Amino acid sequence: MSEHNERDGVERLRRWVDSCDNIVFFGGAGVSTESGIPDFRSEDGLYRQHYDWPPETILSAGFFAAHPEEFYRFYREKMLVTGAQPGPAHLALAELERRGKLRAVITQNIDGLHQKAGSRRVYELHGTIYQNRCLSCGALCGPEGLGESGLPRCRCGGLIKPEVVLYGESLDGATLQGAVDAISRCEMLIVGGTSLAVYPAAGLLQYYRGRRLVLINRSPTPQDGRADLLLRGSIGPILTEAIRPLGGEAAL
């Protein structure tokens, strides 16, 4: 997309946002890269680095059960990022919700940055690093309960497991249904920062029945042909520009 067409596309998105009060956003890792959290599938992301096992293996339910020490070594180093701050896309979406236009955020990320930015209705498809559960008694704790080394144990002695969806596990039914309902009822769906390559999350687009499907991503996705508006670029600057009021000053 040329610079001129991209500028026209952002202006078109801004007009759609201004005229619509039933918007849903569905995003992935690209939303959080601007906060310093690595994208799993980028050229320098976690999936391009070298470990004793591939990250896909380490982040699986079977590996957690068989090698919990190795799982936690990787998890603490690469996944448990609690100090990051919301980026431009998170802040823009929170602003859109405050205006009463954004009905829900659906995210594949586990970093909690949408909530940090102020978004209230967030469906975390893959869980969150901020909740962990004892496999014995079911007690919950925050990330501080995992400690800095070794296997985290509950007061009852049970092993603590992060409430994130590992490979081989199913998505939470209530979260998934909430996301499906939001997408099926919205007038406008903005999809950004995701390759739309991870299922079942990527399959959520099939539930959208509206006529304003917006795709924002730096690289092509399998769903580009469905888009009513396709914007190629970084999601933070695009959303920041599109969400400022028509004819007014930037609100972010």
Side-chain angles (χ1 to χ4, degrees), residues 85-119:
Q85 296 303 313
H90 302 104
L91 297 173
L93 291 165
E95 169 67 16
L96 201 60
E97 183 180 329
R98 282 192 291 270
R99 295 185 198 173
K101 291 180 170 292
L102 186 69
R103 301 297 178 88
V105 169
I106 301 164
T107 181
Q108 297 170 274
N109 298 332
I110 61 174
D111 50 46
L113 291 178
H114 285 292
Q115 291 91 329
K116 276 189 177 182
S119 292

Side-chain angles (χ1 to χ4, degrees), residues 18-226:
D18 186 69
S19 64
C20 183
D21 293 325
N22 185 3
I23 303 171
V24 166
F25 176 80
F26 173 45
V31 178
S32 292
T33 54
E34 293 166 353
S35 296
I37 295 178
D39 180 347
F40 278 72
R41 289 168 178 80
S42 66
E43 286 300 318
D44 57 351
L46 297 182
Y47 280 83
R48 303 290 179 137
Q49 298 177 24
H50 299 286
Y51 300 92
D52 291 339
W53 293 271
E56 299 98 323
T57 299
I58 298 174
L59 296 175
S60 68
F63 190 91
F64 176 85
H67 307 282
E69 297 92 346
E70 292 299 324
F71 170 88
Y72 268 111
R73 189 171 296 127
F74 178 89
Y75 183 79
R76 288 189 181 102
E77 180 182 352
K78 296 297 183 182
M79 307 298 293
L80 195 59
V81 181
T82 58
Q85 296 303 313
H90 302 104
L91 297 173
L93 291 165
E95 169 67 16
L96 201 60
E97 183 180 329
R98 282 192 291 270
R99 295 185 198 173
K101 291 180 170 292
L102 186 69
R103 301 297 178 88
V105 169
I106 301 164
T107 181
Q108 297 170 274
N109 298 332
I110 61 174
D111 50 46
L113 291 178
H114 285 292
Q115 291 91 329
K116 276 189 177 182
S119 292
R120 292 174 295 176
R121 182 171 293 179
V122 181
Y123 295 102
E124 295 174 302
L125 296 175
H126 296 154
T128 173
I129 62 173
Y130 288 96
Q131 188 164 292
N132 308 275
R133 185 181 301 274
C134 173
L135 295 179
S136 296
C137 72
L140 296 173
C141 69
E144 67 281 353
L146 299 181
E148 297 182 359
S149 63
L151 290 179
R153 296 285 181 180
C154 176
R155 291 181 180 180
C156 77
L159 179 64
I160 297 175
K161 178 181 179 294
E163 288 277 88
V164 298
V165 179
L166 302 178
Y167 288 102
E169 295 180 331
S170 300
L171 303 186
D172 176 74
T175 301
L176 184 59
Q177 188 59 54
V180 168
D181 290 345
I183 288 177
S184 63
R185 295 172 182 172
C186 72
E187 178 184 349
M188 178 178 172
L189 178 62
I190 303 175
V191 180
T194 173
S195 64
L196 293 175
V198 178
Y199 283 81
L204 289 174
L205 267 67
Q206 68 182 305
Y207 296 100
Y208 180 60
R209 298 290 182 264
R211 293 184 295 175
R212 290 183 174 179
L213 174 60
V214 180
L215 295 186
I216 307 169
N217 205 48
R218 298 181 67 176
S219 57
T221 80
Q223 299 292 331
D224 285 358
R226 286 193 57 194

